[in-house]
Amino acid sequence: MDPFQQILKSTLARTDDAPQAVKPQALLEAELKPRIAHIAVDDFLSLAKARRTIYTLGKDLPIAEDNVVEIIKEAIRQAPSAFNSQSSRALILLGKEHDRFWEMVRDQLRKVIPAESFHATSDKLDGFAAAAGSVLFFEDQEVVTHLQRQYIAYADNFPVWSEQSSGIAQYAVWLALAEKSIGTNLQHYNPLIDLDVRAAWQIPESWKLRAEMNFGSIVAAADEKSYIDDDKRFIVAR
């Protein structure tokens, strides 16, 4: 079956199972207008410019921990994913659990880095541990595998789209925290720490660790950011 016919057939099947009344266009526009009225392009671009990698973080969050947790959850909920697969998962660590995680990383790195040069690595990890918390981003491979079986024509693409979904979720959380003046930095110590993390927090076998994001109060601002020339980065065709 043609892949587009496959998608159409699946979509029609889902529609048949759960029919929904079609709303008049005027009603749809009326419902949508309140949601978008306060959104301006300049607001988003200003926020995107404010989002930076902050390495010097502290534990004094500008808002309550529970609010931070809800912001992280909502950012991931609203992040788009291929076929609305919602494959992104997260482990949110605060306080002692955050410290515990970075000690796990330290223990694993000590096994692979020569002792005479480990001090530099240890200092770097101290900086990460100084943050208020961390978000560990996972992708649920059970979701990916299910989609591969359901849409065979696109089987090779679903792992790629899963990675893209994870990146979007990470960026969404990064922006959401930046909007609250919470600094973040993104790290990648997977797969070195995967087994320890799974055992410590009973992570499902199907969750694949993709990145680790620290967050906290901004103790020192990021350095000025430089940009490559537009002519090396963009092509505009009319």
Coordinates of all heavy atoms in Angstrom, one line a residue, residues 142-224:
E142 N 9.7 2.1 23.1 CA 8.5 1.3 22.9 C 7.5 2.1 21.9 O 6.9 1.5 21.1 CB 7.8 1.0 24.2 CG 6.6 0.1 24.1 CD 6.0 -0.3 25.5 OE1 6.8 -0.7 26.3 OE2 4.8 -0.2 25.7
V143 N 7.4 3.4 22.1 CA 6.6 4.2 21.2 C 7.2 4.2 19.8 O 6.5 4.0 18.8 CB 6.6 5.7 21.7 CG1 5.8 6.6 20.7 CG2 5.9 5.7 23.1
V144 N 8.5 4.3 19.7 CA 9.2 4.3 18.4 C 8.9 3.0 17.7 O 8.6 2.9 16.5 CB 10.7 4.6 18.6 CG1 11.4 4.5 17.2 CG2 10.9 5.9 19.2
T145 N 9.1 1.9 18.4 CA 8.9 0.6 17.8 C 7.5 0.3 17.4 O 7.3 -0.2 16.3 CB 9.3 -0.5 18.8 OG1 10.7 -0.3 19.2 CG2 9.2 -1.9 18.2
H146 N 6.6 0.8 18.2 CA 5.1 0.6 17.8 C 4.8 1.4 16.5 O 4.2 0.8 15.6 CB 4.3 1.2 18.9 CG 2.8 1.2 18.6 ND1 2.0 0.1 18.6 CD2 2.0 2.3 18.2 CE1 0.8 0.4 18.2 NE2 0.7 1.7 18.0
L147 N 5.4 2.6 16.4 CA 5.1 3.3 15.1 C 5.8 2.7 13.9 O 5.3 2.7 12.8 CB 5.6 4.8 15.3 CG 4.8 5.7 16.2 CD1 5.5 6.9 16.6 CD2 3.5 6.0 15.6
Q148 N 7.0 2.1 14.1 CA 7.7 1.4 13.0 C 6.9 0.2 12.5 O 6.8 0.0 11.3 CB 9.0 0.9 13.5 CG 10.1 2.1 13.7 CD 11.4 1.5 14.2 OE1 11.5 0.8 15.2 NE2 12.5 1.9 13.5
R149 N 6.2 -0.4 13.4 CA 5.3 -1.6 13.0 C 4.0 -1.1 12.4 O 3.5 -1.8 11.5 CB 5.1 -2.4 14.3 CG 6.3 -3.2 14.8 CD 6.0 -3.8 16.2 NE 7.1 -4.5 16.7 CZ 7.2 -5.0 17.9 NH1 6.2 -4.8 18.8 NH2 8.3 -5.6 18.3
Q150 N 3.5 0.0 12.9 CA 2.3 0.5 12.4 C 2.4 1.1 11.0 O 1.5 1.0 10.2 CB 1.7 1.5 13.4 CG 0.3 2.0 13.0 CD -0.3 2.9 14.1 OE1 0.4 3.3 15.0 NE2 -1.6 3.3 13.9
Y151 N 3.5 1.8 10.8 CA 3.8 2.5 9.5 C 5.1 2.0 8.9 O 6.1 2.7 9.0 CB 3.8 4.0 9.7 CG 2.6 4.6 10.3 CD1 2.5 5.0 11.7 CD2 1.4 4.8 9.6 CE1 1.4 5.5 12.2 CE2 0.2 5.3 10.1 CZ 0.2 5.6 11.5 OH -0.9 6.1 12.0
I152 N 5.1 0.9 8.3 CA 6.3 0.2 7.9 C 7.0 1.0 6.8 O 8.3 1.1 6.8 CB 5.9 -1.2 7.3 CG1 5.3 -2.1 8.3 CG2 7.1 -1.8 6.7 CD1 4.8 -3.4 7.8
A153 N 6.3 1.8 6.0 CA 7.0 2.6 5.0 C 7.9 3.6 5.6 O 8.8 4.1 4.9 CB 5.9 3.2 4.1
Y154 N 7.6 4.1 6.8 CA 8.4 5.1 7.4 C 9.3 4.6 8.6 O 9.8 5.3 9.4 CB 7.5 6.2 8.0 CG 6.7 6.9 6.9 CD1 5.3 6.8 6.9 CD2 7.4 7.6 5.9 CE1 4.6 7.5 5.9 CE2 6.6 8.3 5.0 CZ 5.3 8.2 5.0 OH 4.5 8.9 4.0
A155 N 9.5 3.2 8.6 CA 10.1 2.6 9.8 C 11.5 3.2 10.1 O 11.9 3.4 11.2 CB 10.2 1.1 9.6
D156 N 12.3 3.5 9.0 CA 13.6 4.0 9.2 C 13.7 5.4 9.7 O 14.7 5.8 10.3 CB 14.4 3.9 7.9 CG 14.7 2.5 7.4 OD1 14.6 1.6 8.3 OD2 15.0 2.3 6.2
N157 N 12.6 6.1 9.5 CA 12.5 7.5 9.9 C 12.2 7.8 11.4 O 12.5 8.8 11.9 CB 11.5 8.3 9.0 CG 12.0 8.4 7.6 OD1 13.2 8.6 7.4 ND2 11.1 8.4 6.7
F158 N 11.4 6.8 12.0 CA 10.9 7.1 13.3 C 12.0 7.3 14.4 O 11.9 8.1 15.2 CB 10.0 6.0 13.7 CG 8.6 6.2 13.1 CD1 8.1 5.3 12.2 CD2 7.8 7.2 13.4 CE1 6.9 5.4 11.6 CE2 6.6 7.4 12.9 CZ 6.1 6.5 11.9
P159 N 13.2 6.6 14.3 CA 14.2 6.9 15.3 C 14.8 8.3 15.1 O 15.1 9.0 16.1 CB 15.3 5.8 15.0 CG 14.5 4.7 14.4 CD 13.4 5.3 13.6
V160 N 14.8 8.7 13.8 CA 15.3 10.1 13.6 C 14.3 11.1 14.1 O 14.7 12.1 14.8 CB 15.5 10.3 12.0 CG1 15.9 11.7 11.8 CG2 16.6 9.3 11.5
W161 N 13.0 10.9 13.8 CA 12.0 11.8 14.3 C 11.9 11.8 15.8 O 11.6 12.8 16.4 CB 10.7 11.4 13.7 CG 10.6 11.6 12.2 CD1 11.4 12.5 11.5 CD2 9.8 11.0 11.3 NE1 11.1 12.4 10.1 CE2 10.1 11.5 10.0 CE3 8.7 10.0 11.4 CZ2 9.4 11.1 8.8 CZ3 8.1 9.6 10.2 CH2 8.4 10.1 9.0
S162 N 12.2 10.7 16.4 CA 12.3 10.6 17.9 C 13.4 11.5 18.4 O 13.1 12.3 19.4 CB 12.5 9.2 18.4 OG 12.8 9.1 19.7
E163 N 14.5 11.5 17.8 CA 15.6 12.4 18.2 C 15.2 13.9 18.0 O 15.6 14.7 18.9 CB 16.9 12.1 17.4 CG 17.5 10.7 17.7 CD 17.9 10.6 19.2 OE1 18.7 11.5 19.7 OE2 17.5 9.6 19.8
Q164 N 14.5 14.2 17.0 CA 14.1 15.5 16.7 C 13.1 15.9 17.8 O 13.1 17.1 18.3 CB 13.5 15.6 15.3 CG 14.5 15.4 14.2 CD 13.8 15.4 12.8 OE1 12.6 15.2 12.7 NE2 14.6 15.4 11.8
S165 N 12.2 15.0 18.2 CA 11.2 15.3 19.2 C 11.9 15.6 20.5 O 11.5 16.6 21.3 CB 10.3 14.1 19.4 OG 9.5 13.9 18.2
S166 N 12.9 14.9 20.8 CA 13.7 15.1 22.1 C 14.4 16.5 22.1 O 14.3 17.2 23.0 CB 14.8 14.0 22.3 OG 15.4 14.2 23.5
G167 N 15.0 16.8 20.9 CA 15.6 18.1 20.8 C 14.6 19.3 21.0 O 14.9 20.3 21.6
I168 N 13.4 19.1 20.4 CA 12.4 20.1 20.5 C 11.9 20.3 22.0 O 11.8 21.4 22.5 CB 11.2 19.8 19.6 CG1 11.6 19.9 18.2 CG2 10.0 20.8 19.9 CD1 10.5 19.4 17.2
A169 N 11.8 19.1 22.7 CA 11.4 19.1 24.1 C 12.4 19.8 24.9 O 12.1 20.6 25.8 CB 11.1 17.7 24.6
Q170 N 13.7 19.5 24.7 CA 14.8 20.2 25.4 C 14.8 21.7 25.2 O 14.9 22.5 26.2 CB 16.1 19.6 25.0 CG 16.3 18.1 25.3 CD 17.4 17.4 24.6 OE1 18.4 18.1 24.3 NE2 17.2 16.2 24.2
Y171 N 14.6 22.1 24.0 CA 14.6 23.5 23.7 C 13.4 24.2 24.3 O 13.5 25.3 24.8 CB 14.5 23.7 22.2 CG 14.7 25.2 21.7 CD1 15.8 25.9 22.1 CD2 13.7 25.8 20.9 CE1 15.9 27.3 21.7 CE2 13.8 27.1 20.5 CZ 14.9 27.8 20.9 OH 15.0 29.1 20.5
A172 N 12.2 23.5 24.3 CA 11.0 24.1 24.9 C 11.2 24.3 26.4 O 10.8 25.4 26.9 CB 9.8 23.1 24.7
V173 N 11.8 23.3 27.1 CA 12.1 23.5 28.5 C 13.1 24.6 28.7 O 12.9 25.4 29.7 CB 12.6 22.2 29.1 CG1 13.1 22.4 30.5 CG2 11.5 21.1 29.1
W174 N 14.1 24.7 27.9 CA 15.1 25.7 28.0 C 14.5 27.1 27.9 O 14.8 28.0 28.7 CB 16.2 25.5 26.9 CG 17.6 25.9 27.2 CD1 18.0 26.9 28.0 CD2 18.7 25.4 26.6 NE1 19.3 27.0 28.0 CE2 19.8 26.1 27.2 CE3 19.0 24.4 25.7 CZ2 21.2 25.8 26.8 CZ3 20.3 24.1 25.4 CH2 21.4 24.8 25.9
L175 N 13.7 27.3 26.9 CA 13.0 28.6 26.8 C 12.1 28.9 27.9 O 12.0 30.0 28.4 CB 12.2 28.6 25.5 CG 13.0 28.7 24.2 CD1 12.0 28.6 23.0 CD2 13.8 30.0 24.1
A176 N 11.3 27.9 28.4 CA 10.4 28.1 29.4 C 11.1 28.5 30.7 O 10.6 29.4 31.5 CB 9.5 26.9 29.7
L177 N 12.2 27.9 31.0 CA 12.9 28.2 32.2 C 13.6 29.6 32.1 O 13.7 30.4 33.0 CB 14.0 27.2 32.5 CG 13.4 25.8 32.9 CD1 14.5 24.8 33.2 CD2 12.5 25.9 34.1
A178 N 14.1 29.9 30.9 CA 14.7 31.2 30.6 C 13.7 32.3 30.8 O 14.0 33.4 31.3 CB 15.3 31.3 29.2
E179 N 12.4 32.1 30.5 CA 11.4 33.1 30.6 C 11.2 33.4 32.1 O 10.8 34.5 32.5 CB 10.1 32.6 30.0 CG 9.1 33.6 29.8 CD 8.1 33.9 30.9 OE1 8.0 32.9 31.8 OE2 7.6 35.0 31.1
K180 N 11.5 32.5 33.0 CA 11.4 32.7 34.5 C 12.8 33.1 35.1 O 13.0 33.1 36.3 CB 10.9 31.5 35.1 CG 9.5 31.1 34.7 CD 8.5 32.1 35.0 CE 7.1 31.7 34.6 NZ 6.1 32.8 34.9
S181 N 13.7 33.5 34.2 CA 15.1 33.9 34.6 C 15.8 32.8 35.4 O 16.6 33.0 36.3 CB 15.0 35.2 35.5 OG 14.5 36.2 34.8
I182 N 15.6 31.6 34.9 CA 16.3 30.4 35.5 C 17.3 30.0 34.4 O 17.0 29.8 33.3 CB 15.3 29.2 35.7 CG1 14.3 29.7 36.8 CG2 16.0 28.0 36.1 CD1 13.2 28.7 37.1
G183 N 18.6 29.9 34.9 CA 19.6 29.5 34.0 C 19.7 28.0 33.8 O 19.3 27.2 34.6
T184 N 20.2 27.6 32.6 CA 20.3 26.1 32.3 C 21.6 25.9 31.5 O 22.1 26.8 30.8 CB 19.1 25.6 31.5 OG1 19.0 26.4 30.3 CG2 17.8 25.8 32.3
N185 N 22.0 24.6 31.5 CA 23.0 24.1 30.6 C 22.7 22.7 30.3 O 22.1 22.0 31.1 CB 24.5 24.3 31.1 CG 24.7 23.6 32.4 OD1 24.8 22.3 32.4 ND2 24.9 24.3 33.5
L186 N 23.1 22.3 29.1 CA 22.7 20.9 28.6 C 24.0 20.1 28.5 O 25.0 20.5 27.9 CB 22.0 21.0 27.3 CG 21.3 19.8 26.7 CD1 20.2 19.4 27.7 CD2 20.8 20.0 25.3
Q187 N 23.9 18.9 29.0 CA 25.1 17.9 29.0 C 24.7 16.6 28.4 O 23.5 16.3 28.3 CB 25.6 17.7 30.5 CG 25.9 19.0 31.2 CD 26.9 19.9 30.4 OE1 27.9 19.3 29.9 NE2 26.7 21.2 30.4
H188 N 25.7 15.8 28.1 CA 25.4 14.5 27.5 C 26.4 13.5 28.0 O 27.5 13.3 27.4 CB 25.5 14.6 26.0 CG 24.5 15.5 25.4 ND1 24.8 16.9 25.2 CD2 23.3 15.3 24.9 CE1 23.7 17.5 24.7 NE2 22.8 16.5 24.5
Y189 N 26.1 12.9 29.2 CA 27.0 11.8 29.7 C 26.4 10.4 29.5 O 26.9 9.5 30.1 CB 27.2 12.1 31.2 CG 28.1 13.3 31.4 CD1 27.6 14.6 31.7 CD2 29.5 13.1 31.4 CE1 28.5 15.6 31.9 CE2 30.4 14.2 31.5 CZ 29.9 15.4 31.8 OH 30.7 16.5 32.0
N190 N 25.3 10.4 28.7 CA 24.8 9.1 28.3 C 25.7 8.6 27.1 O 26.2 9.4 26.4 CB 23.3 9.2 27.9 CG 23.1 10.5 27.0 OD1 23.2 11.6 27.5 ND2 22.9 10.3 25.7
P191 N 25.9 7.3 27.0 CA 25.3 6.2 27.7 C 26.1 5.7 28.9 O 25.8 4.7 29.5 CB 25.2 5.1 26.7 CG 26.4 5.3 25.8 CD 26.6 6.8 25.8
L192 N 27.1 6.5 29.3 CA 28.0 6.1 30.4 C 27.2 5.8 31.7 O 27.6 4.9 32.4 CB 29.1 7.1 30.6 CG 30.2 6.8 31.6 CD1 31.1 5.7 31.2 CD2 31.0 8.1 31.9
I193 N 26.2 6.6 31.9 CA 25.5 6.6 33.2 C 24.1 5.9 33.1 O 23.4 5.8 34.1 CB 25.3 8.0 33.7 CG1 24.5 8.8 32.7 CG2 26.6 8.6 34.1 CD1 24.1 10.2 33.1
D194 N 23.8 5.3 31.9 CA 22.4 4.8 31.7 C 22.0 3.8 32.7 O 20.9 3.8 33.3 CB 22.3 4.3 30.3 CG 22.3 5.3 29.3 OD1 22.7 6.5 29.6 OD2 21.9 5.1 28.1
L195 N 22.9 2.8 33.0 CA 22.5 1.7 33.9 C 22.3 2.2 35.3 O 21.4 1.8 36.0 CB 23.6 0.6 33.8 CG 23.7 -0.1 32.5 CD1 24.8 -1.2 32.5 CD2 22.3 -0.8 32.1
D196 N 23.2 3.1 35.8 CA 23.1 3.6 37.1 C 21.8 4.4 37.3 O 21.1 4.3 38.3 CB 24.3 4.5 37.4 CG 25.6 3.8 37.6 OD1 25.5 2.5 37.8 OD2 26.7 4.4 37.7
V197 N 21.5 5.2 36.3 CA 20.2 6.0 36.4 C 19.0 5.1 36.4 O 18.1 5.3 37.2 CB 20.1 7.0 35.2 CG1 18.8 7.6 35.1 CG2 21.2 8.0 35.3
R198 N 19.0 4.1 35.5 CA 17.9 3.1 35.5 C 17.7 2.4 36.8 O 16.6 2.3 37.3 CB 18.1 2.1 34.4 CG 17.0 1.1 34.3 CD 17.1 0.3 33.0 NE 16.7 1.1 31.8 CZ 17.5 1.3 30.8 NH1 18.7 0.7 30.8 NH2 17.2 2.0 29.8
A199 N 18.8 2.0 37.4 CA 18.7 1.3 38.7 C 18.3 2.2 39.8 O 17.5 1.9 40.7 CB 20.0 0.6 39.0
A200 N 18.8 3.5 39.9 CA 18.6 4.4 41.0 C 17.1 4.9 41.0 O 16.5 5.1 42.1 CB 19.5 5.5 40.9
W201 N 16.5 5.1 39.8 CA 15.2 5.7 39.8 C 14.1 4.9 39.1 O 13.1 5.3 38.7 CB 15.3 7.1 39.2 CG 16.0 8.1 40.1 CD1 15.5 8.7 41.2 CD2 17.3 8.6 39.9 NE1 16.4 9.5 41.8 CE2 17.6 9.5 41.0 CE3 18.3 8.3 39.0 CZ2 18.8 10.1 41.2 CZ3 19.6 9.0 39.2 CH2 19.8 9.8 40.3
Q202 N 14.4 3.6 39.0 CA 13.5 2.6 38.4 C 12.9 3.1 37.1 O 11.7 3.1 36.8 CB 12.3 2.3 39.4 CG 12.7 1.6 40.7 CD 13.3 2.5 41.7 OE1 12.8 3.5 42.1 NE2 14.5 2.1 42.2
I203 N 13.9 3.5 36.2 CA 13.5 3.9 34.9 C 13.1 2.7 34.0 O 13.8 1.7 34.0 CB 14.7 4.6 34.2 CG1 15.1 5.8 35.1 CG2 14.3 5.1 32.8 CD1 14.1 6.9 35.4
P204 N 11.9 2.8 33.3 CA 11.5 1.7 32.5 C 12.6 1.3 31.4 O 13.3 2.2 31.0 CB 10.3 2.3 31.8 CG 9.7 3.3 32.7 CD 11.0 3.9 33.4
E205 N 12.7 0.1 31.1 CA 13.7 -0.4 30.1 C 13.6 0.3 28.8 O 14.6 0.4 28.1 CB 13.5 -1.9 30.0 CG 14.0 -2.7 31.2 CD 15.5 -2.8 31.3 OE1 16.2 -2.6 30.3 OE2 15.9 -3.1 32.5
S206 N 12.4 0.7 28.4 CA 12.2 1.3 27.1 C 12.6 2.7 27.0 O 12.7 3.3 25.9 CB 10.7 1.1 26.7 OG 9.9 1.9 27.5
W207 N 12.9 3.4 28.1 CA 13.3 4.8 28.1 C 14.8 4.9 27.8 O 15.6 4.3 28.5 CB 13.0 5.4 29.5 CG 11.6 5.7 29.8 CD1 10.5 5.0 29.3 CD2 11.1 6.6 30.8 NE1 9.4 5.4 29.9 CE2 9.7 6.4 30.8 CE3 11.7 7.5 31.6 CZ2 8.9 7.2 31.6 CZ3 10.9 8.3 32.4 CH2 9.5 8.1 32.4
K208 N 15.1 5.6 26.8 CA 16.5 5.8 26.3 C 17.0 7.2 26.7 O 16.4 8.2 26.2 CB 16.6 5.6 24.8 CG 18.1 5.6 24.3 CD 18.1 5.3 22.8 CE 19.5 5.3 22.2 NZ 19.5 5.1 20.8
L209 N 18.0 7.3 27.5 CA 18.5 8.6 28.0 C 19.2 9.3 26.8 O 20.0 8.8 26.1 CB 19.5 8.4 29.1 CG 20.1 9.7 29.8 CD1 18.9 10.5 30.3 CD2 21.0 9.3 30.9
R210 N 18.8 10.6 26.6 CA 19.3 11.4 25.5 C 20.1 12.6 26.0 O 21.0 13.1 25.2 CB 18.2 11.9 24.6 CG 17.3 10.8 24.1 CD 18.0 9.5 23.6 NE 18.9 9.8 22.5 CZ 20.1 9.3 22.4 NH1 20.6 8.5 23.4 NH2 20.9 9.5 21.4
A211 N 19.8 13.2 27.1 CA 20.5 14.5 27.5 C 20.2 14.8 29.0 O 19.2 14.3 29.6 CB 20.1 15.6 26.7
E212 N 21.0 15.6 29.6 CA 20.9 16.0 31.0 C 21.0 17.5 31.1 O 22.0 18.1 30.7 CB 21.9 15.4 31.9 CG 22.0 13.8 31.7 CD 22.9 13.4 30.6 OE1 24.0 13.9 30.4 OE2 22.5 12.5 29.8
M213 N 19.9 18.2 31.6 CA 19.9 19.6 31.7 C 19.9 20.1 33.1 O 19.1 19.7 33.9 CB 18.6 20.2 31.0 CG 18.5 21.7 31.1 SD 16.9 22.3 30.3 CE 17.3 22.0 28.6
N214 N 20.9 20.9 33.5 CA 21.0 21.5 34.8 C 20.2 22.8 34.8 O 20.2 23.5 33.8 CB 22.4 21.8 35.2 CG 23.2 20.5 35.3 OD1 22.9 19.6 36.1 ND2 24.3 20.4 34.6
F215 N 19.6 23.1 35.9 CA 18.9 24.4 36.0 C 19.1 25.0 37.4 O 19.3 24.3 38.4 CB 17.4 24.3 35.7 CG 16.6 23.4 36.6 CD1 16.1 23.9 37.8 CD2 16.4 22.1 36.2 CE1 15.4 23.0 38.6 CE2 15.7 21.2 37.0 CZ 15.2 21.7 38.2
G216 N 19.1 26.3 37.5 CA 19.3 27.0 38.8 C 19.3 28.5 38.6 O 19.1 29.1 37.6
S217 N 19.6 29.2 39.7 CA 19.8 30.6 39.7 C 21.0 31.0 38.9 O 22.0 30.3 38.9 CB 19.9 31.2 41.1 OG 20.9 30.5 41.8
I218 N 21.0 32.1 38.2 CA 22.1 32.6 37.4 C 23.1 33.3 38.3 O 22.8 34.5 38.7 CB 21.6 33.5 36.3 CG1 20.6 32.7 35.4 CG2 22.7 34.0 35.4 CD1 19.9 33.5 34.3
V219 N 24.2 32.7 38.5 CA 25.3 33.3 39.4 C 26.2 34.2 38.5 O 26.6 35.3 38.9 CB 26.1 32.2 40.1 CG1 27.2 32.8 40.9 CG2 25.2 31.4 41.0
A220 N 26.5 33.8 37.3 CA 27.3 34.6 36.4 C 26.7 34.4 35.0 O 26.3 33.3 34.6 CB 28.7 34.1 36.4
A221 N 26.6 35.5 34.3 CA 25.9 35.5 32.9 C 26.9 34.8 31.9 O 28.1 34.7 32.1 CB 25.7 36.9 32.5
A222 N 26.3 34.4 30.8 CA 27.0 33.8 29.8 C 27.9 34.8 29.0 O 27.6 36.0 29.0 CB 26.1 33.1 28.8
D223 N 28.9 34.4 28.4 CA 29.7 35.3 27.5 C 28.9 35.7 26.3 O 27.9 35.1 26.0 CB 31.0 34.6 27.1 CG 31.9 34.2 28.3 OD1 31.9 35.0 29.3 OD2 32.7 33.3 28.1
E224 N 29.4 36.7 25.7 CA 28.7 37.2 24.5 C 28.7 36.1 23.4 O 29.8 35.5 23.2 CB 29.4 38.5 24.0 CG 28.7 39.1 22.8 CD 29.3 40.4 22.3 OE1 30.2 40.9 23.1 OE2 29.0 40.9 21.3

